[in-house]
Short mmCIF file of all heavy atoms in Angstrom, two decimals:
data_model
loop_
_atom_site.label_atom_id
_atom_site.label_comp_id
_atom_site.label_asym_id
_atom_site.label_seq_id
_atom_site.Cartn_x
_atom_site.Cartn_y
_atom_site.Cartn_z
N MET A 2 -21.26 76.19 -39.79
CA MET A 2 -21.64 74.86 -39.32
C MET A 2 -20.46 73.90 -39.46
O MET A 2 -19.72 73.95 -40.44
CB MET A 2 -22.84 74.34 -40.12
CG MET A 2 -24.12 75.08 -39.85
SD MET A 2 -25.51 74.45 -40.80
CE MET A 2 -25.81 72.89 -40.02
N THR A 3 -20.35 73.04 -38.47
CA THR A 3 -19.31 72.02 -38.53
C THR A 3 -19.77 70.89 -39.43
O THR A 3 -20.98 70.75 -39.69
CB THR A 3 -19.01 71.47 -37.12
OG1 THR A 3 -20.18 70.77 -36.66
CG2 THR A 3 -18.64 72.58 -36.15
N PRO A 4 -18.85 70.05 -39.89
CA PRO A 4 -19.26 68.90 -40.71
C PRO A 4 -20.27 67.99 -39.99
O PRO A 4 -21.18 67.45 -40.61
CB PRO A 4 -17.95 68.17 -40.99
CG PRO A 4 -16.90 69.23 -40.91
CD PRO A 4 -17.39 70.18 -39.84
N GLU A 5 -20.11 67.87 -38.68
CA GLU A 5 -21.04 67.03 -37.90
C GLU A 5 -22.44 67.64 -37.90
O GLU A 5 -23.44 66.93 -38.01
CB GLU A 5 -20.54 66.87 -36.45
CG GLU A 5 -19.29 66.04 -36.32
CD GLU A 5 -18.02 66.85 -36.59
OE1 GLU A 5 -18.05 68.11 -36.56
OE2 GLU A 5 -16.99 66.21 -36.88
N GLN A 6 -22.52 68.96 -37.82
CA GLN A 6 -23.81 69.63 -37.84
C GLN A 6 -24.47 69.50 -39.21
O GLN A 6 -25.68 69.32 -39.31
CB GLN A 6 -23.65 71.11 -37.47
CG GLN A 6 -23.30 71.34 -36.02
CD GLN A 6 -22.97 72.79 -35.73
OE1 GLN A 6 -22.36 73.47 -36.57
NE2 GLN A 6 -23.34 73.27 -34.55
N VAL A 7 -23.66 69.59 -40.27
CA VAL A 7 -24.19 69.44 -41.63
C VAL A 7 -24.73 68.02 -41.81
O VAL A 7 -25.83 67.82 -42.33
CB VAL A 7 -23.11 69.76 -42.68
CG1 VAL A 7 -23.58 69.39 -44.08
CG2 VAL A 7 -22.73 71.23 -42.62
N THR A 8 -23.96 67.04 -41.35
CA THR A 8 -24.39 65.64 -41.44
C THR A 8 -25.68 65.42 -40.65
O THR A 8 -26.61 64.77 -41.14
CB THR A 8 -23.28 64.70 -40.93
OG1 THR A 8 -22.11 64.92 -41.71
CG2 THR A 8 -23.70 63.25 -41.03
N ALA A 9 -25.73 65.97 -39.44
CA ALA A 9 -26.94 65.83 -38.62
C ALA A 9 -28.14 66.50 -39.29
O ALA A 9 -29.25 65.96 -39.26
CB ALA A 9 -26.70 66.43 -37.23
N ALA A 10 -27.92 67.66 -39.89
CA ALA A 10 -29.02 68.36 -40.58
C ALA A 10 -29.52 67.54 -41.77
O ALA A 10 -30.73 67.41 -41.98
CB ALA A 10 -28.55 69.74 -41.04
#
Side-chain angles (χ1 to χ4, degrees):
M2 292 180 70
T3 65
E5 292 82 18
Q6 290 172 324
V7 171
T8 302

